[in-house]
Amino acid sequence: KQEVTQIPAALSVPEGENLVLNCSFTDSAIYNLQWFRQDPGKGLTSLLLIQSSQREQTSGRLNASLDKSSGRSTLYIAASQPGDSATYLCAVSTSGTYKYIFGTGTRLKVLA
Amino acid sequence: EAGVAQSPRYKIIEKRQSVAFWCNPISGHATLYWYQQILGQGPKLLIQFQNNGVVDDSQLPKDRFSAERLKGVDSTLKIQPAKLEDSAVYLCASSFGFRRQTYEQYFGPGTRLTVT
């Protein structure tokens, strides 16, 4: 059974800092992995999707990497801004079921 | 392009009452998902539709929850009767399909349900 863990649960950093959010999964037979952002009281916004055959994806200041063999993905945020404050969730789709299993998220606060 | 629409945005009911949520996916998206997100947790899949057929409902409490997508577009999720532990945000998502690695899920704003 796939389990997804995100560490840390919460993170507070000063503006301008580069930071890394971690996502670990137990079953390496994944189909794809998606990183989402969730603002308070809002739905989820897709940030990056990495297919199982890919190692990384980039969008603007965001870079997500995937290492299936170690069961890890990282989301790198460069030059953080107060507007980046949100909860970041990773979701893993496992081969065969295609069902997304979500982590519990990392609550990020970027201080001005 | 319009996003995933959900209504209502908020609902407060007493335990043992019934409630229904509505979702309109992005036009052309064949796959529709309902998730339950309890405070402090990640979303949990309740049911997945492909057009008007059910792909996965293994985590849907079928004694009290039901969902339908009769014409393969809009969907409704119903809870009857509600329990206190059903208090959560109910998220609807859609995607073009689900059997390709490039298919992303797009989420609606959610319905926050409070059961008192």
Side-chain angles (χ1 to χ4, degrees):
Chain A
K1 178 186 170 187
Q2 181 73 273
E3 293 182 6
V4 181
T5 305
Q6 290 187 248
I7 294 173
L11 184 62
S12 187
V13 300
E15 182 178 6
E17 195 161 295
N18 301 325
L19 56 100
V20 174
L21 307 182
N22 296 295
C23 173
S24 300
F25 47 93
T26 55
D27 184 351
S28 62
I30 69 169
Y31 199 57
N32 62 29
L33 184 148
Q34 201 166 351
W35 280 94
F36 294 89
R37 167 188 174 136
Q38 186 171 32
D39 293 282
K42 303 278 182 66
L44 280 65
T45 301
S46 177
L47 297 173
L48 291 164
L49 180 147
I50 309 178
Q51 299 172 49
S52 63
S53 58
Q54 296 175 324
R55 299 281 294 182
E56 65 177 346
Q57 281 285 349
T58 298
S59 176
R61 294 183 294 110
L62 305 179
N63 175 275
S65 66
L66 174 64
D67 184 343
K68 284 196 307 179
S69 60
S70 66
R72 291 188 59 191
S73 176
T74 59
L75 179 67
Y76 175 83
I77 303 177
S80 58
Q81 303 170 358
D84 295 330
S85 298
T87 296
Y88 290 81
L89 294 151
C90 73
V92 177
S93 171
T94 305
S95 296
T97 69
Y98 308 105
K99 187 165 66 176
Y100 272 118
I101 305 297
F102 279 81
T104 52
T106 294
R107 199 167 57 254
L108 172 67
K109 187 167 186 177
V110 181
L111 305 170
Chain B
E1 177 184 83
V4 177
Q6 289 188 248
S7 67
R9 292 296 313 279
Y10 306 93
K11 191 75 177 177
I12 301 174
I13 62 172
E14 296 181 352
K15 59 184 179 183
R16 292 187 290 274
Q17 286 187 326
S18 62
V19 64
F21 312 126
W22 174 82
C23 173
N24 180 242
I26 292 173
S27 177
H29 280 194
T31 309
L32 185 146
Y33 311 81
W34 282 104
Y35 289 88
Q36 179 192 58
Q37 186 177 24
I38 293 172
L39 188 64
Q41 299 182 18
K44 181 184 82 171
L45 180 68
L46 293 176
I47 188 166
Q48 177 183 342
F49 291 96
Q50 178 69 7
N51 297 310
N52 59 354
V54 175
V55 174
D56 188 316
D57 63 357
S58 58
Q59 297 191 96
L60 186 74
K62 298 180 186 64
D63 58 334
R64 298 183 301 106
F65 286 64
S66 64
E68 60 183 14
R69 193 183 183 200
L70 292 175
K71 296 183 179 178
V73 181
D74 294 4
S75 176
T76 56
L77 176 70
K78 297 179 182 177
I79 308 175
Q80 181 181 10
K83 292 185 175 181
L84 295 176
E85 58 261 36
D86 298 332
S87 294
V89 175
Y90 291 84
L91 296 163
C92 179
S94 71
S95 63
F96 192 77
F98 67 96
R99 292 186 187 272
R100 285 198 181 171
Q101 294 177 319
T102 53
Y103 289 156
E104 292 184 46
Q105 290 191 31
Y106 296 87
F107 282 77
T111 296
R112 181 176 299 276
L113 174 68
T114 302
V115 182
T116 63

